[in-house]
Amino acid sequence: MKSLNFLLAAAAAATLPCLTIAQTSPQQDPQLSVFLTTSYGLEVDDECQVFSHLQREAVSQLNSAMLGVLRSRYNPDGVAAEEARVRGVAAEQWQGCLSRDANEDKWDLVAQAQVYGDSVLASPGAMSDAIASCAVGPDGASLTRSEMTAIRQEVLARYESLKYRPQLEEMSANMAEGMEAQCAANGYSPDLEPAYAWKSRKTLEEKTAAGEKTSIAEFGPWTSYRYFAFEDFDEFPVSAYRTPVGGTGRLVGVPLTTEGALGAQGKLYAHDDGTLSVDLSGAADAVEIRADGMEPVEMEVAVRSGGNNFMAEGAFVLDQARTRDLLALAPEAELRIVYRPGGRETLRQFQNFADREGVLPVGRLKAAIAWASAPQPE
């Protein structure tokens, strides 16, 4: 039994006016309330940085769990339509960050979504001491009792003076019962994933023990991260990072690979100054961005060292004006990134995770840039 699917047996449901499925109101169906509130909150977070990385992870997992329940209870098409409508309402209401004083009702919905996410994070620490540790999956990493307690204390400390603390404690206790049953019976609970993300982020440094750079070295001390998944096996996935302070200027990263040990490897980056760049290891004399119906756009060489062998490195940049032109293409337009290996005349197209010549939909790149550069609330 998924513990998150049954978390609100005794918790107070949020109030969302006029959000109904088959004449059922959120007040009558707590799981429907959670789903609609978290859907609203996730859409708001696209426009304004209202969630931390951990909150977004927890809210997303809870939203997905509620969706599974509701699809079995109601007409799936009706659930999808209601979700789209709620997200549409949020997108229309939030174009940037709203004033708290003039929009108390809308901020209350966001606060409720935050409470739901924080309850997921705090719940492992509410399990009994009989659970000394518990894994995330059958073969996954685990959380110790001290780690579960630490994250719960960290979450509760943020609610010391907030009216939502009683609800947070009640909801996290309800969730903990289901988690504890899973951990006791199976040794793991998938509902621990957001809490494990806390552990991973807590221990993340600029370099791994092996000396490899991490996302902090790439993007700076990021506060939230979002993965924009591919929708077709020919497409590139995209990662976006929010770095309010101390960032490197990079907002978005797209991994680029080629066949063979001697091929160039690297990433395409979108920057907060409105430019694009490609950083490569491996010999490359030129990098171009192509799309159907337009002339190839050649990036300028910023750095090139190491000759024409596998020790070579290179950086290529695209200025603001030409970047704007690319982003002005239709959302469905597919960008192809190609390079000319050092000392050669032929061009090679970069591949994606599936070892296929990858394409990058303009709409996905724009959405990732917009999410990473969303404003912060005052």
Side-chain angles (χ1 to χ4, degrees), residues 50-61:
V50 297
F51 292 149
S52 69
H53 167 60
L54 298 175
Q55 284 176 329
R56 187 175 178 96
E57 289 287 297
V59 170
S60 295
Q61 177 156 330

Side-chain angles (χ1 to χ4, degrees), residues 11 112 114-123 126 152 154-160 162-175:
Q112 186 66 64
Q114 291 171 332
V115 173
Y116 288 152
D118 283 335
S119 296
V120 175
L121 294 170
S123 54
R152 179 174 177 82
E154 187 175 297
V155 171
L156 290 177
R158 298 200 304 268
Y159 283 79
E160 285 183 358
L162 298 181
K163 65 180 180 180
Y164 298 103
R165 178 159 179 144
Q167 185 185 16
L168 174 74
E169 291 182 339
E170 184 175 14
M171 288 179 60
S172 61
N174 290 339
M175 295 182 196

Side-chain angles (χ1 to χ4, degrees), residues 214-232:
T214 69
S215 57
I216 292 181
E218 275 190 279
F219 296 92
W222 50 269
T223 57
S224 193
Y225 156 80
R226 184 175 171 191
Y227 180 72
F228 289 75
F230 59 90
E231 296 178 6
D232 183 276

Side-chain angles (χ1 to χ4, degrees), residues 134-159:
C134 187
V136 175
D139 303 310
S142 62
L143 285 168
T144 64
R145 162 56 51 186
S146 61
E147 289 165 343
M148 295 183 220
T149 300
I151 186 173
R152 179 174 177 82
Q153 290 176 342
E154 187 175 297
V155 171
L156 290 177
R158 298 200 304 268
Y159 283 79

Side-chain angles (χ1 to χ4, degrees), residues 30 40 82-83 156 160 199 223 230 279 286 294 337 341 356:
Y40 184 91
E82 191 72 351
E83 178 186 19
L156 290 177
E160 285 183 358
K199 176 181 178 179
T223 57
F230 59 90
D279 289 6
M294 75 172 203
I337 301 98
R356 302 173 74 158

Side-chain angles (χ1 to χ4, degrees), residues 16-351:
L16 280 173
C18 303
L19 303 181
T20 62
I21 298 177
Q23 307 304 313
T24 301
S25 73
Q27 292 87 345
Q28 296 170 331
D29 188 335
Q31 290 161 340
L32 174 58
S33 174
V34 174
F35 176 68
L36 296 178
T37 304
T38 53
S39 296
Y40 184 91
L42 289 168
E43 192 67 33
V44 171
D45 190 59
D46 290 349
E47 303 291 336
C48 174
Q49 299 187 34
V50 297
F51 292 149
S52 69
H53 167 60
L54 298 175
Q55 284 176 329
R56 187 175 178 96
E57 289 287 297
V59 170
S60 295
Q61 177 156 330
L62 186 53
N63 182 265
S64 178
M66 297 300 102
L67 178 59
V69 173
L70 296 172
R71 280 176 172 167
S72 65
R73 184 178 303 161
Y74 303 115
N75 184 304
D77 291 339
V79 175
E82 191 72 351
E83 178 186 19
R85 192 178 70 79
V86 170
R87 286 182 176 268
V89 168
E92 183 177 347
Q93 291 177 341
W94 293 75
Q95 307 210 359
C97 294
L98 299 180
S99 162
R100 293 179 186 271
D101 293 339
N103 299 276
E104 185 177 354
D105 57 337
K106 299 176 183 64
W107 275 102
D108 279 346
L109 290 177
V110 170
Q112 186 66 64
Q114 291 171 332
V115 173
Y116 288 152
D118 283 335
S119 296
V120 175
L121 294 170
S123 54
M127 292 191 291
S128 73
D129 291 342
I131 306 299
S133 67
C134 187
V136 175
D139 303 310
S142 62
L143 285 168
T144 64
R145 162 56 51 186
S146 61
E147 289 165 343
M148 295 183 220
T149 300
I151 186 173
R152 179 174 177 82
Q153 290 176 342
E154 187 175 297
V155 171
L156 290 177
R158 298 200 304 268
Y159 283 79
E160 285 183 358
S161 60
L162 298 181
K163 65 180 180 180
Y164 298 103
R165 178 159 179 144
Q167 185 185 16
L168 174 74
E169 291 182 339
E170 184 175 14
M171 288 179 60
S172 61
N174 290 339
M175 295 182 196
E177 290 182 10
M179 286 185 185
E180 183 167 344
Q182 291 178 327
C183 291
N186 307 316
Y188 68 90
S189 170
D191 295 331
L192 288 171
E193 287 180 7
Y196 188 79
W198 169 87
K199 176 181 178 179
S200 300
R201 184 64 181 86
K202 204 79 171 176
T203 57
L204 185 63
E205 302 288 345
E206 288 195 9
K207 291 185 178 181
T208 66
E212 298 174 339
K213 291 183 177 180
T214 69
S215 57
I216 292 181
E218 275 190 279
F219 296 92
W222 50 269
T223 57
S224 193
Y225 156 80
R226 184 175 171 191
Y227 180 72
F228 289 75
F230 59 90
E231 296 178 6
D232 183 276
F233 284 110
D234 290 330
E235 296 176 355
F236 286 110
V238 178
S239 297
Y241 291 82
R242 289 174 169 172
T243 56
V245 293
T248 62
R250 295 165 174 163
L251 300 175
V252 170
V254 181
L256 307 172
T257 63
T258 51
E259 288 182 349
L262 301 183
Q265 319 287 325
K267 276 190 177 180
L268 169 75
Y269 293 107
H271 298 261
D272 60 9
D273 63 0
T275 63
L276 295 177
S277 72
V278 168
D279 289 6
L280 296 176
S281 61
D285 288 337
V287 174
E288 293 180 0
I289 300 179
R290 300 184 167 199
D292 293 341
M294 75 172 203
E295 292 295 318
V297 177
E298 185 168 349
M299 305 184 79
E300 297 178 6
V301 178
V303 176
R304 189 176 186 279
S305 63
N308 290 331
N309 56 53
F310 69 94
M311 296 294 291
E313 292 185 348
F316 302 80
V317 297
L318 195 67
D319 62 30
Q320 292 176 343
R322 291 188 296 170
T323 298
R324 280 197 302 269
D325 290 342
L326 284 179
L327 296 178
L329 295 173
E332 64 273 12
E334 296 178 335
L335 303 179
R336 300 183 297 278
I337 301 98
V338 302
Y339 81 106
R340 189 169 73 248
R344 300 184 185 180
E345 295 301 321
T346 57
L347 292 169
R348 298 180 66 181
Q349 184 171 339
F350 283 108
Q351 297 179 334

